[in-house]
Amino acid sequence: MSRTRHSNRRSRALLTAALVALPPMVPSALAADQAVPVAKRRPTVRELHGDKFIDDYFWLREKGDPEVTAYLEAENAYAEKIMAPYKGLQDTLYKEMLGRIKETDLTVPVKDGAYFYYTRTEQGQQYTIFCRKKGSLEAPEEAYLDVNALAKGEKFMAIGALSVSDDGNLLAYTTDTTGFREYKLYVRDLRTGELLEQPAEKVTSVDWAADNKTLFYTTTDAAKRPYRLYRHRIGADGGGADGGGAMLYEEKDERFSVGVGRSRSRAYLFLEIGSLTASEVHYLPADQPAGAWKIVAPRQDNHEYDVDHRGDQFFVRTNQGGRNFALAVAPVSDPSPAQWKTIVPHRPDVMLQGTLVFDGQTVLFERANGLPRFRVAKAGAEAGDAWTALPFPEPAYTVSPSANPEFKTPTFRYTYQSFTTPLSVFDYDFASGQATLQKETEVLGGYDRTKYTTERVNATAPDGTKVPISLVYLKTLVKDGNNPIYLTAYGSYGLPSNVTFSSNRFSLVDRGVVYAVAHIRGGGDLGKPWHDQGRMLQKKNTFTDFIASAEYLIAQKYGAAHSLAIEGGSAGGLLMGAVTNMRPDLFRAVIAQVPFVDVINTMTDTTLPLTVGEFEEWGNPAANRAEYDYIKGYDPYRNLKAQAYPAMLVKTSLNDSQVMYWEPAKYVARMRTLRTDTRPLVFRINMAAGHGGSSGRYDRLKEVAFDYSFVLWQLGLDCGC
């Protein structure tokens, strides 16, 4: 993953330059006579390429140090004190947002083998319940995994991998009880409810062989990199830390991670090995779990590919002939690159994001003009122009494949949503070409989508590049330059900033806020070249694109700088830190969620999760002076200086394994000594969660209410209206 992913950030290592003079050191972790928390200064000299940097807060990475805990708790207490006058607003927002949610609900059942699978929620319960019915939807319900039961006594609970054996009898699933992404694998006999042996810890991906007994899974190293593949035969290999089974593969190159999965045809298992810029796939017949894995194509620099299967062919999505990917087929008997035959060529203006291969059809998942789409063709007719495009009605929206486990199926299931259309599940009938709505998520509280306008506009970056922005606001809004704006973006790892529905968002929009998403470079909104133009030594395009987007909205009188709030998380938190240093005058308020703000320190510490694998996203500042100098030019922590800053809310979690808690902690501590204004700087730490915050749905809603109360306060909309 990445600093998003879902993800991913960290901190520290070797540093640079002299700092602005700081106030004298305080004698303890906190200055007892000050209301604002003051972290102790313990100067540490960091040096790289002959460049020295004095890091006064490097010590905050010592998680077990009582003074670190004291500082974090003091920041939380200060945050509660600062936000106390808005507790009533938080309660109002929470009740408002909760009132739009159907608390007791269920998903659309999906057929997989002999069962129909779905999940449901119950009012008052924090977590999902996984259910199924055998044979028909009228059959008795089997609740085969109740996450609420698993969460009893835990402060955090997350489900990672989940896979049912082909015969429906065994369930393999993983759980994380800290937020630190350390998943433990369990196997449950669904006939008896009995937990079988515990095969492994630190598991990332899981899938079954066709014999209903053999489980393949991958595990992580000390830096949380998935690097080993195991085979475990239930009831035969025993338990133990490594599962008692056979280790089949270990990836030595720290840039690469491994994952295991099954083709939709169920005929093959795939071992996928990938870095951020290259990949390699091995395959094994699913009915031969003890067999030898074979390779499709050895890894090559800057060649990414993935594989699916139908009949006697593998389908290979590859960017060997162009950055935006093409689709080729190859015989299963010899899938080496010399045998690849292109059936969908590379197109510079269309990104082939994914391919779904069914028994009688192929579905292309693409991005064109910054928007996702599907195209469908019958099996055997993929070459040429025999593709049918599915139409979508709105100027800004998101579609994505839904659960489609069956290989032989008359329909393809996908989800559709927009700023104003709730998440909707459709079944597309291959024969008729018609899409039928199966369910639209119900929004309570009198939601009326006709009250809102959605727009897609373009800002112009300093180099002339057009940057798309998606907007939603009240139809009654007047563009007079006085409206509040909430602008968000991500812009990293080639991940698109999709236009999604959130009923929570209307607690802002209904108060007159213009909500905007900037589709900046570094993301994948316009394909791989869009990503390329916002990574490595072109990363600063991400920041200037965002600033240009903000300036465009102001120039077009959507709102004004005195009422502009911005938000980003993880690598999007890096964006927040960078643009705030560059243009603090442009923003009224900033929310930085789990922000990756200590880039040089993190990218020079190879013991941290993600660092080595992300040399291909950010650069390797320890090994490359040019990359060091470039990162030094935007690193948010390093570029803090004595100036007035916007009001800021910075958030982190103590158990975050992607952006370590100390990055935002150091950032806040140093900013407190440098900022020349009196605007609020609020730092909130979730002491029992990871990168995504609280795991329970009600707890997450309270976090959103806290964030929105800060925004509304700063935008002058804190009246509770």
Side-chain angles (χ1 to χ4, degrees):
M1 298 289 292
S2 56
R3 318 297 162 177
T4 297
R5 321 174 204 181
H6 323 252
S7 332
N8 322 100
R9 285 314 131 199
R10 40 305 193 74
S11 107
R12 104 223 46 164
L14 314 167
L15 294 91
T16 13
L19 297 184
V20 180
L22 299 179
M25 294 173 61
V26 294
S28 64
L30 298 177
D33 60 342
Q34 294 190 28
V36 177
V38 179
K40 177 187 292 186
R41 290 177 58 202
R42 296 179 183 173
T44 301
V45 178
R46 310 294 291 165
E47 183 173 351
L48 190 62
H49 303 296
D51 195 6
K52 292 183 179 179
F53 177 82
I54 300 172
D55 190 346
D56 289 298
Y57 306 105
F58 190 80
W59 69 277
L60 286 172
R61 64 179 288 152
E62 301 302 328
K63 192 174 182 179
D65 186 336
E67 286 194 287
V68 172
T69 302
Y71 171 65
L72 298 179
E73 290 177 343
E75 285 285 4
N76 271 342
Y78 179 70
E80 291 303 313
K81 177 181 177 182
I82 291 296
M83 296 299 293
Y86 308 98
K87 183 63 169 63
L89 177 59
Q90 292 173 42
D91 293 342
T92 295
L93 290 167
Y94 176 77
K95 292 174 183 176
E96 193 173 286
M97 293 186 288
L98 183 62
R100 299 190 189 104
I101 296 170
K102 189 175 182 181
E103 297 179 69
T104 299
D105 204 359
L106 74 164
T107 61
V108 181
V110 58
K111 189 175 185 301
D112 187 4
Y115 292 88
F116 290 88
Y117 290 85
Y118 58 98
T119 63
R120 59 181 176 84
T121 55
E122 293 181 354
Q123 185 174 11
Q125 297 274 25
Q126 291 266 25
Y127 297 97
T128 296
I129 303 169
F130 291 84
C131 305
R132 66 181 186 177
K133 294 183 177 183
K134 189 172 184 178
S136 76
L137 294 177
E138 285 69 47
E141 177 183 89
E142 176 188 346
Y144 64 91
L145 190 66
D146 185 347
V147 185
N148 298 287
L150 296 179
K152 286 183 178 178
E154 305 287 354
K155 294 181 179 179
F156 184 94
M157 175 56 66
I159 300 296
L162 190 149
S163 181
V164 178
S165 59
D166 290 10
D167 60 8
N169 291 335
L170 300 181
L171 169 70
Y173 65 96
T174 64
T175 65
D176 170 21
T177 57
T178 68
F180 201 59
R181 291 191 303 138
E182 290 190 338
Y183 288 91
K184 186 176 293 186
L185 174 64
Y186 298 90
V187 178
R188 184 188 300 273
D189 189 325
L190 295 179
R191 295 163 295 188
T192 65
E194 176 189 6
L195 277 176
L196 306 180
E197 75 268 28
Q198 178 186 309
E201 297 188 5
K202 299 182 179 181
V203 171
T204 53
S205 61
V206 174
D207 221 325
W208 293 92
D211 65 355
N212 301 302
K213 298 177 182 177
T214 306
L215 190 64
F216 292 88
Y217 60 89
T218 57
T219 63
T220 61
D221 63 12
K224 287 188 164 39
R225 176 180 66 98
Y227 78 124
R228 285 179 174 173
L229 172 70
Y230 284 88
R231 180 184 62 226
H232 178 82
R233 193 166 184 269
I234 303 300
D237 294 330
D242 64 355
M247 187 184 78
L248 304 180
Y249 182 86
E250 181 175 352
E251 177 54 52
K252 302 290 188 180
D253 190 330
E254 293 181 44
R255 297 173 302 162
F256 286 79
S257 299
V258 304
V260 67
R262 192 99 166 260
S263 65
R264 182 171 288 98
S265 68
R266 313 298 289 167
Y268 286 91
L269 285 149
F270 292 120
L271 171 63
E272 298 176 318
I273 307 166
S275 73
L276 292 178
T277 62
S279 54
E280 178 177 291
V281 178
H282 298 234
Y283 63 100
L284 176 74
D287 61 357
Q288 300 174 31
W293 292 75
K294 298 179 181 179
I295 193 170
V296 175
R299 69 190 69 172
Q300 292 182 336
D301 289 344
N302 298 312
H303 179 212
E304 299 172 79
Y305 74 96
D306 52 60
V307 182
D308 207 342
H309 165 259
R310 179 171 63 222
D312 60 359
Q313 290 183 320
F314 285 138
F315 286 70
V316 184
R317 189 182 70 102
T318 169
N319 68 354
Q320 192 170 45
R323 292 296 288 155
N324 276 340
F325 290 86
L327 182 62
V329 291
V332 168
S333 58
D334 178 12
S336 61
Q339 304 300 318
W340 294 3
K341 178 183 177 183
T342 299
I343 57 174
V344 178
H346 170 265
R347 294 149 294 167
D349 57 342
V350 178
M351 170 71 173
L352 179 55
Q353 194 163 323
T355 306
L356 296 91
V357 179
F358 297 91
D359 181 53
Q361 293 81 20
T362 303
V363 178
L364 303 182
F365 182 34
E366 301 176 328
R367 296 192 75 89
N369 299 316
L371 293 169
R373 71 184 189 190
F374 297 118
R375 293 197 300 144
V376 180
K378 291 183 179 179
E382 293 94 349
D385 298 322
W387 296 91
T388 299
L390 279 64
F392 300 108
E394 297 179 87
Y397 64 87
T398 292
V399 291
S400 59
S402 186
N404 289 279
E406 299 250 294
F407 186 53
K408 295 183 178 181
T409 175
T411 60
F412 159 63
R413 178 165 290 179
Y414 66 88
T415 61
Y416 176 93
Q417 58 184 313
S418 72
F419 282 144
T420 57
T421 301
L423 181 69
S424 305
V425 178
F426 286 86
D427 281 350
Y428 175 81
D429 186 276
F430 288 125
S432 69
Q434 298 298 311
T436 302
L437 177 65
Q438 300 299 312
K439 179 176 182 176
E440 179 179 282
T441 301
E442 188 174 355
V443 183
L444 306 179
Y447 170 67
D448 179 4
R449 73 193 70 192
T450 66
K451 291 169 50 180
Y452 309 100
T453 294
T454 297
E455 272 192 277
R456 183 92 158 186
V457 297
N458 289 287
T460 302
D463 63 1
T465 300
K466 298 297 183 183
V467 181
I469 309 171
S470 299
L471 303 160
V472 62
Y473 51 86
L474 287 168
K475 281 185 177 178
T476 55
L477 183 136
V478 178
K479 297 178 189 175
D480 58 5
N482 293 311
N483 303 304
I485 302 173
Y486 188 98
L487 175 64
T488 184
Y490 183 68
S492 291
Y493 304 105
L495 299 176
S497 294
N498 290 318
V499 173
T500 59
F501 182 85
S502 170
S503 61
N504 298 336
R505 190 178 296 136
F506 295 102
S507 288
L508 297 178
V509 177
D510 285 349
R511 288 173 169 83
V513 175
V514 176
Y515 185 92
V517 176
H519 305 279
I520 55 182
R521 282 177 285 182
D525 304 78
L526 277 78
K528 288 292 287 187
W530 200 248
H531 176 209
D532 294 338
Q533 293 170 35
R535 69 180 183 96
M536 302 295 285
L537 298 183
Q538 297 189 79
K539 185 61 195 173
K540 291 179 184 178
N541 285 334
T542 302
F543 316 134
T544 54
D545 282 3
F546 186 85
I547 291 171
S549 299
E551 291 176 330
Y552 173 88
L553 294 175
I554 294 167
Q556 297 301 311
K557 298 188 179 300
Y558 287 96
H562 64 74
S563 57
L564 172 58
I566 61 173
E567 185 270 341
S570 198
L574 161 65
L575 168 68
M576 296 298 101
V579 300
T580 301
N581 282 334
M582 294 166 68
R583 287 293 309 278
D585 60 301
L586 190 55
F587 315 114
R588 173 63 180 265
V590 180
I591 299 182
Q593 310 269 12
V594 291
F596 175 37
V597 285
D598 194 13
V599 184
I600 289 177
N601 274 334
T602 291
M603 292 307 300
T604 50
D605 187 346
T606 58
T607 68
L608 291 173
L610 308 173
T611 292
V612 175
E614 296 192 355
F615 286 159
E616 296 172 319
E617 178 72 16
W618 311 102
N620 184 347
N624 188 301
R625 177 60 191 259
E627 292 172 356
Y628 169 79
D629 288 339
Y630 189 82
I631 295 171
K632 178 184 171 183
Y634 69 75
D635 184 318
Y637 182 63
R638 298 286 287 275
N639 285 281
L640 287 170
K641 59 185 178 183
Q643 64 179 352
Y645 281 95
M648 296 192 70
L649 170 60
V650 181
K651 298 181 69 180
T652 190
S653 293
L654 185 64
N655 296 326
D656 193 336
S657 66
Q658 292 158 272
V659 179
M660 298 295 183
Y661 75 87
W662 61 74
E663 292 203 37
K666 291 173 58 180
Y667 175 76
V668 168
R670 186 163 185 242
M671 177 178 276
R672 288 203 188 282
T673 69
L674 291 172
R675 62 188 301 155
T676 60
D677 59 273
T678 58
R679 299 183 185 96
L681 171 57
V682 179
F683 183 32
R684 199 181 198 207
I685 307 98
N686 188 323
M687 303 296 281
H691 196 57
S694 296
S695 56
R697 59 177 179 153
Y698 296 110
D699 293 336
R700 286 197 299 270
L701 206 59
K702 290 176 181 177
E703 291 182 350
V704 176
F706 184 93
D707 298 352
Y708 281 8
S709 68
F710 178 84
V711 169
L712 293 174
W713 165 32
Q714 290 304 308
L715 296 182
L717 300 172
D718 55 311
C719 61
C721 54

